[in-house]
Amino acid sequence: MEILWVLMAAVLLGFVLLPFLRRRRGMIEQVPAGHPDAADPANYGFAREEELDVRMPGPDQDLLNVLDLVQRTHDYRAAQQLLAGTEAAGELRWQRVQAFAGAASLELRQRPGGVSETPGGQWLRVWRAEHPKDAGGAAVHAEFLVQQAWRTSTPGTDEFRIIMEEARSACGDAALLAPGDPIPYIVELSVARGLAYSQSEFEQLWLKILDRAPAHMGAHLAALHYWCEKWHGSRTLANSFAEAAAARAPQGSLLAAMPLFAVFEHLPEVNMVSSFYQSEVVTKAIHGALFAVHAARPDDPMLAHVRHMLVFFLVRAERWSEAMNQLIHIDGHVGALPWTLSADPAAEFAVYRALAVAGYEANGGSPATLPH
């Protein structure tokens, strides 16, 4: 490792202090001196740090085109049409609902409105007003309220509870408009976490999702948060939930990667040793995720999420070649865990990518030996 750190110091401008970087909850906190990209990322076809897209985990050009149109014109109709044409029970629709709600929420934060200013996200209000029975608009509105609660208030406060109660009501309205749609119930998973549903209440909600979309990876990731130690469960309950999901995963499902996400949710606050990431528990979870990635459809919308998490663990475990094999599939987009927990997701991703490149090259790898 000491040789690798010396190599990193030579390769990365500003990383002479890299051995002393602090690790907190498994994330690398960078020194203020700078956070450059991997050495010549263009040699591997990698995007430069300033080019990394923090909005999504992977490409969805249709969504990007529609988001651009909606935000330029303040006309919701393109978003309405895109959602109407997206499979109701699929992962892609859930990601698009989150994206539209997030866009409206961020717009409102940037332009709260005033005497002479139209508030941001007004297009969503118009959408709901003009088409109150549109299931897509109702789902986006419910998710918008959830994101507003987490972004603008503190859990446990009256303000937070008021917004979350409104979100719960909005979830109910959206569910009535599309009885077979799992999205309103998936949105409510975050409400359940925020309002501290009892475990029996949460399980009743979860059964409604399983009835509609039993292999929905996004729903499982949202539910995992509830069962974590930091919310309303424990390490044991979270691991049991993740392992049960992996055990019943159908062929080609990414649910086999759930134990890796459960491990991530319970990383120790400070961990300076690589041996933890090479332990039997972590290694088993990594292998499950690698198996899931190998078996999944190339166009599975959740595939990028699993690859991003794998990069984090593979780098920590010093499995450089395998990390590089994941990077070539996801580089360019960083809107996923674990990077989104950082104040600067692109910079955090770039650090791990730099470590992967340095480790790969220290062990004889080069752009010529990396399969694409």
Side-chain angles (χ1 to χ4, degrees):
M1 279 299 295
E2 292 177 356
I3 295 174
L4 178 56
W5 290 129
V6 171
L7 176 62
M8 284 296 299
V11 172
L12 298 175
L13 176 64
F15 265 80
V16 294
L17 297 179
L18 189 57
F20 306 104
L21 290 179
R22 294 167 293 158
R23 281 109 169 134
R24 185 179 183 277
R25 206 186 167 279
M27 303 299 287
I28 292 181
E29 295 182 15
Q30 300 174 65
V31 293
H35 37 74
D37 286 343
D40 294 324
N43 290 345
Y44 291 87
F46 292 154
R48 297 199 175 276
E49 183 181 321
E50 61 271 18
E51 299 169 342
L52 295 171
D53 192 327
V54 301
R55 295 171 293 180
M56 295 183 297
D60 183 350
Q61 195 58 50
D62 288 341
L63 175 60
L64 288 178
N65 292 341
V66 168
L67 275 173
D68 178 65
L69 180 62
V70 169
Q71 293 182 314
R72 278 191 296 104
T73 65
H74 308 293
D75 188 333
Y76 65 86
R77 286 177 293 181
Q80 181 185 37
Q81 292 169 4
L82 184 64
L83 280 186
T86 307
E87 181 189 359
E91 305 279 0
L92 192 59
R93 188 164 184 269
W94 169 229
Q95 292 187 17
R96 288 173 172 177
V97 165
Q98 289 180 296
F100 289 133
S105 179
L106 287 173
E107 283 182 30
L108 183 58
R109 184 177 180 179
Q110 293 164 358
R111 297 197 318 275
V115 176
S116 59
E117 181 185 44
T118 301
Q122 182 66 22
W123 52 268
L124 178 55
R125 297 181 185 83
V126 175
W127 185 356
R128 292 294 294 129
E130 293 186 354
H131 295 276
K133 294 186 178 182
D134 178 56
V140 173
H141 179 241
E143 174 65 14
F144 166 81
L145 290 170
V146 166
Q147 294 196 27
Q148 281 294 98
W150 292 109
R151 289 178 194 274
T152 65
S153 53
T154 303
T157 64
D158 288 343
E159 180 186 9
F160 181 84
R161 176 168 289 277
I162 289 170
I163 301 175
M164 276 297 189
E165 290 288 0
E166 186 180 357
R168 175 156 61 177
S169 177
C171 289
D173 293 342
L176 289 174
L177 292 171
D181 187 352
I183 300 297
Y185 301 103
I186 298 174
V187 176
E188 193 178 349
L189 291 173
S190 188
V191 176
R193 179 162 53 98
L195 293 182
Y197 282 22
S198 68
Q199 291 188 2
S200 62
E201 288 176 313
F202 187 87
E203 288 169 349
Q204 291 173 20
L205 171 62
W206 183 239
L207 286 175
K208 293 177 182 177
I209 295 171
L210 292 182
D211 285 344
R212 292 161 175 80
H216 199 290
M217 179 72 170
H220 279 79
L221 290 176
L224 178 64
H225 291 303
Y226 176 90
W227 293 113
C228 286
E229 191 172 67
K230 62 186 175 184
W231 287 105
H232 309 297
S234 65
R235 183 189 302 265
T236 299
L237 287 172
N239 288 338
S240 296
F241 175 80
E243 289 166 5
R248 66 169 182 269
Q251 179 64 33
S253 168
L254 287 164
L255 289 177
M258 284 297 299
L260 189 65
F261 286 85
V263 170
F264 177 77
E265 291 296 334
H266 293 91
L267 288 176
E269 283 293 320
V270 178
N271 182 23
M272 300 293 288
V273 294
S274 61
S275 60
F276 169 81
Y277 294 92
Q278 298 166 354
S279 66
E280 182 179 353
V281 170
V282 176
T283 298
K284 182 180 177 181
I286 289 174
H287 287 168
L290 287 170
F291 170 80
V293 165
H294 178 74
R297 302 189 329 268
D299 63 344
D300 190 315
M302 295 301 294
L303 185 55
H305 287 271
V306 180
R307 290 190 187 278
H308 280 287
M309 189 59 71
L310 272 169
V311 168
F312 172 88
F313 277 98
L314 290 170
V315 167
R316 287 287 188 171
E318 300 174 21
R319 295 167 64 165
W320 314 114
S321 179
E322 290 169 292
M324 293 293 286
N325 286 334
Q326 299 305 317
L327 281 168
I328 61 176
H329 292 286
I330 57 171
D331 191 79
H333 298 84
V334 295
L337 288 173
W339 327 120
T340 50
L341 295 180
S342 169
D344 191 341
E348 189 75 23
F349 173 83
V351 172
Y352 277 80
R353 185 178 63 181
L355 286 166
V357 169
Y360 183 65
E361 293 183 348
N363 286 276
S366 70
T369 62
L370 185 66
H372 285 74

